[in-house]
Each structure stands twice: as C-alpha cells, then as structure tokens.
Amino acid sequence: HPSMEEPEVANTYNDDGVPNNADDTIKLNGKLMKQMRGTMLQYQMIEKGDHIMCCVSGGKDSATLLHLLLQMQRKLSRDEPFFHLTAVHLDQKQPGYNGSSLVTWLRDQVGVPFRIIEQDTYSIVKEKTAVGKTYCSLCSRLRRGVLYSVAHEIGANKIALGHHGDDAIETLMLNMIHGGKMKSMPARYYSEDRGVHVIRPLMGCLEDDIRRFAMEMKFPILPCNLCGSQPDAHRAKVKLLCASLEAMNPMAKRNMINAMSDVRPSHLLDVDLREACGMDGATGRVTDADRAALVHALFPAWQQGQGSMEPSLFGKDI
C-alpha cells in the first residue's frame, strides 16, 4: 500500500532569513527590526561606509543582533554594501567550551565574515574575583579590552553589543539600589581612549521578545560557566523584581525604557542637574531660558508664565 504519511517539505526562507512557514516568527522579526531601526535612527548609529564589529558571545541577544544587522545591511545596500559587518566571537577558554555549532552557523548559515579570538580571560576572572563577589564586572572589563584591540586590528570604527532594554532597566535599578546613583547604560558612546564608537542597537527591544525569536530561529546558544554559576547575583534578583512589577502593570518594562529617554530634571533632587538645565538649583525657577529651552517639558511651562515647576503626581499638585 502507498504510504499515508505526508512527504517532508524542506523549509524555505524569505529575504530576511526567516522560514516562510512561520508567520509568528516573521511578525516578531518585523517587530524587533522596527524597534532596532528606531533606536539606530534616534542615536544616528550607522553611516555609509561604517565598518561595524558585531560581538557574538554565543547567547541569544548577540545572535539576534547579528541577524537583524545583516537584514539592515541588505536593505540599505545597492551596488555596494552601505556598511561593512564583521562578527567576532571571544573564546574565553572556559572548561568544556565547544564553539563548533556557532562556527558552523556563522560560516554556513549566516555567511558573514567572522573571527574567533582565543584569550584565557576565564582563569583571570576566577583567580582575581574575591569569594562572594560576582564575576560580571571583571569579566566584562577584560572582554571589552580584548574586543577594543580586535576592532583596531580589523579596522572597525564601531562595536555593536547585544544589550537590550531589560539590561538597561536592571543596570538602572542596580545602581539606584546599591550605588545610590541614577545611572544606566547608554545606547551609544564614544571611547576617547580607544577611538571607537560603541553602539547598542537593541536598547528598544525587550528580552522576552528576543528570547522567543532566538528559540524560533534555532540560533546556536553556548552556555556560560561564569554567568550561570552565580544564581544569587544581584542582577538575577533584580530580574525577579522587574517580573513582579509586570504583575502590577504589563507595560511596566516598556514604560521604564521610555522613562529613561524622558527625564524631567525639575522633578528630581539633583541640584547640579537643575542648574545645568537653566534652573535655580533650590527653587526650580528658570534662570537661563536658552538652556531651559533644551530640556524636554521644562521650557514650555516657563514660557506659559508658570515661572517654576511645582512637583505633581498624576496631574495633581502635591
């Protein structure tokens, strides 16, 4: 009798490298691309002729970033590439490391120029980190130093990192809770010492979307023996705190990302910041109209004759 089983059909892919039979994945790809494009436009991250070094750690975030950057390169390019892209992965010599799946993906599926750098930062981190302290800070500094050097070697003028909106929120909360500072991570900055721009195109994207997209795209994920070995680290606890905030309001994380780009100096306690924004540090009255005009939501109120910015909560004076 002839077989009743349906013949297996091989996946075909659209121009964005997404399976044609995965409607949800196509929509998610479009959502992430729209958010990334908005961030890149806002912070002027890409110019014609750039050579961008995309750091690929072996995690979901950097794999998604590389995938989206390649899409953008294809969309912007005509006769020649609008910008050049090189993927760089750092083998930190962690015990049990096997990067073969990542190399195969980069070579056979992504088809992007790439380099694998071998540097034993793992042993240094394990040796230098005191008992009870987290590995993250030292590990990050060592990796960044290596990557700066590689960027110069290959002639890249910009380094792209896979940090996303959740990373910015968690960094902000960690600095507020443990450091007493309102400080997060910028979407773009320039390293004067190294002479290279660092960009974070995924700042407008949420981790849940990236995780789901990476799973559906079956990106190769390499485990990290440093990050995964400290489940009680402060950042893990802040993740739980953020999850509890979403129970109060499903838009909590999205609103917190928006809040970091909509700061109201008149309603904060930083006297120096008030003065830098053209206000009297104590009273909040506008003293320099030119500087105040540069501050969102400050100058229009002064212009309307209010004179000072009284604190308010949900539109009501307090």
Side-chain angles (χ1 to χ4, degrees):
H1 298 282
S3 173
M4 299 298 292
E5 294 180 1
E6 292 291 332
E8 191 172 308
V9 179
N11 271 340
T12 58
Y13 295 82
N14 63 19
D15 291 340
D16 293 331
V18 180
N20 282 314
N21 60 351
D23 291 343
D24 290 343
T25 309
I26 292 172
K27 290 178 182 178
L28 189 52
N29 182 93
K31 176 183 180 180
L32 291 170
M33 174 57 81
K34 181 178 180 181
Q35 292 168 343
M36 187 183 82
R37 185 171 60 242
T39 300
M40 297 184 86
L41 287 171
Q42 183 177 4
Y43 295 97
Q44 302 174 26
M45 290 186 176
I46 289 185
E47 297 174 286
K48 186 174 178 59
D50 277 342
H51 184 177
I52 299 175
M53 186 180 91
C54 182
C55 301
V56 181
S57 66
K60 65 187 187 312
D61 308 323
S62 57
T64 298
L65 174 61
L66 178 61
H67 176 88
L68 294 174
L69 284 175
L70 279 167
Q71 279 186 44
M72 181 164 285
Q73 185 188 51
R74 287 193 294 267
K75 292 177 186 295
L76 292 176
S77 300
R78 295 295 181 263
D79 296 331
E80 59 183 28
F82 186 84
F83 63 91
H84 299 279
L85 188 62
T86 301
V88 172
H89 171 69
L90 175 60
D91 173 3
Q92 299 177 268
K93 296 303 176 184
Q94 295 188 14
Y97 167 87
N98 183 356
S100 59
S101 60
L102 180 67
V103 172
T104 300
W105 179 69
L106 290 170
R107 183 188 61 224
D108 300 341
Q109 291 184 247
V110 180
V112 65
F114 69 92
R115 287 188 62 181
I116 307 297
I117 308 300
E118 298 183 12
Q119 188 89 25
D120 186 4
T121 59
Y122 175 86
S123 298
I124 299 173
V125 171
K126 294 289 285 186
E127 178 187 346
K128 300 294 184 183
T129 303
V131 177
K133 299 294 183 180
T134 58
Y135 300 130
C136 300
S137 179
L138 178 57
C139 182
S140 176
R141 290 200 304 272
L142 291 173
R143 283 202 322 270
R144 196 68 54 85
V146 173
L147 294 172
Y148 279 136
S149 298
V150 175
H152 280 290
E153 288 177 17
I154 67 175
N157 63 318
K158 290 177 181 174
I159 297 175
L161 303 176
H163 297 114
H164 44 65
D166 290 63
D167 291 320
I169 293 169
E170 291 158 14
T171 301
L172 174 67
M173 298 186 75
L174 285 168
N175 278 315
M176 291 174 66
I177 294 169
H178 297 286
K181 299 176 183 177
M182 189 169 288
K183 174 184 174 183
S184 182
M185 53 174 60
R188 175 180 178 175
Y189 68 90
Y190 180 70
S191 173
E192 296 286 352
D193 294 339
R194 301 288 188 159
V196 65
H197 294 268
V198 177
I199 60 175
R200 296 182 171 110
L202 298 183
M203 271 291 151
C205 304
L206 291 175
E207 185 175 22
D208 286 344
D209 289 335
I210 293 171
R211 181 184 294 108
R212 185 157 59 92
F213 183 70
M215 288 178 61
E216 293 176 3
M217 291 294 295
K218 296 181 172 58
F219 293 146
I221 306 299
L222 307 182
C224 176
N225 293 323
L226 286 173
C227 298
S229 65
Q230 295 182 300
D232 293 328
H234 289 315
R235 188 170 289 271
K237 295 175 181 177
V238 167
K239 280 184 178 291
L240 294 175
L241 177 58
C242 290
S244 67
L245 294 175
E246 284 193 300
M248 294 171 54
N249 179 4
M251 291 293 292
K253 287 198 289 190
R254 175 57 60 192
N255 287 341
M256 291 178 75
I257 293 172
N258 293 340
M260 281 186 276
S261 60
D262 189 4
V263 177
R264 312 298 174 101
S266 57
H267 288 57
L268 297 175
L269 306 181
D270 191 327
V271 172
D272 292 334
L273 178 61
R274 280 184 162 198
E275 292 176 350
C277 293
M279 292 182 285
D280 181 278
T283 67
R285 293 185 64 87
V286 173
T287 58
D288 186 326
D290 291 334
R291 275 189 289 167
L294 301 175
V295 183
H296 177 67
L298 174 60
F299 186 69
W302 175 84
Q303 197 174 35
Q304 292 167 14
Q306 295 183 17
S308 65
M309 300 297 294
E310 297 295 335
S312 62
L313 181 65
F314 298 122
K316 297 182 180 180
D317 291 341
I318 57 172

